[in-house]
Amino acid sequence: MNYTGIFFENGTHMTWNFGTPLEYPKGVKAGDKATVVVHGIYADDDVECFIVSYDTFMYQPKGTLLHITTRVQNGAKPVMSGQRATATPSKIQYFEEPFYLTGEWK
């Protein structure tokens, strides 16, 4: 695996950093439990993702909104969901009440 992130029981994940060497937020190591806040959802014809935050972070180190891809179709790639949400924030629908997901850093 050449990326770090928080992985959830349902098989989804929130990528933190893509590439090697593997990087985590300061003070975090593989195996640590982590909770994200789910603030809203982005969707278009090809991709869909939850917009999340971890601790005080809303963005990956490279500048893409933190997100969990939930749908990919029409030849799109999962990475596109975060890229498109970041590029068109006006299309994000924010929830009145955020919810929480807990996973594990890997």
Side-chain angles (χ1 to χ4, degrees):
M1 187 164 70
N2 60 347
Y3 60 95
T4 57
I6 301 170
F7 289 72
F8 305 98
E9 287 185 10
N10 67 0
T12 61
H13 69 276
M14 179 212 79
T15 299
W16 172 253
N17 191 59
F18 187 84
T20 54
L22 298 179
E23 295 181 20
Y24 296 90
K26 185 176 182 178
V28 171
K29 63 185 181 312
D32 287 351
K33 297 288 183 207
T35 299
V36 298
V37 181
V38 182
H39 297 279
I41 193 165
Y42 169 87
D44 64 27
D45 291 340
D46 304 321
V47 294
E48 179 181 274
C49 62
F50 286 134
I51 303 302
V52 304
S53 63
Y54 166 73
D55 195 20
T56 61
F57 300 102
M58 290 288 300
Y59 294 87
Q60 297 171 336
K62 295 177 182 166
T64 302
L65 281 166
L66 291 175
H67 63 283
I68 301 168
T69 301
T70 55
R71 177 177 53 83
V72 178
Q73 60 190 39
N74 301 324
K77 297 186 188 268
V79 68
M80 295 170 141
S81 65
Q83 291 170 339
R84 291 180 182 185
T86 302
T88 53
S90 62
K91 292 185 77 174
I92 298 170
Q93 296 179 3
Y94 288 94
F95 303 135
E96 284 187 35
E97 294 289 327
F99 63 95
Y100 303 85
L101 295 172
T102 299
E104 181 179 311
W105 280 99
K106 292 186 182 181

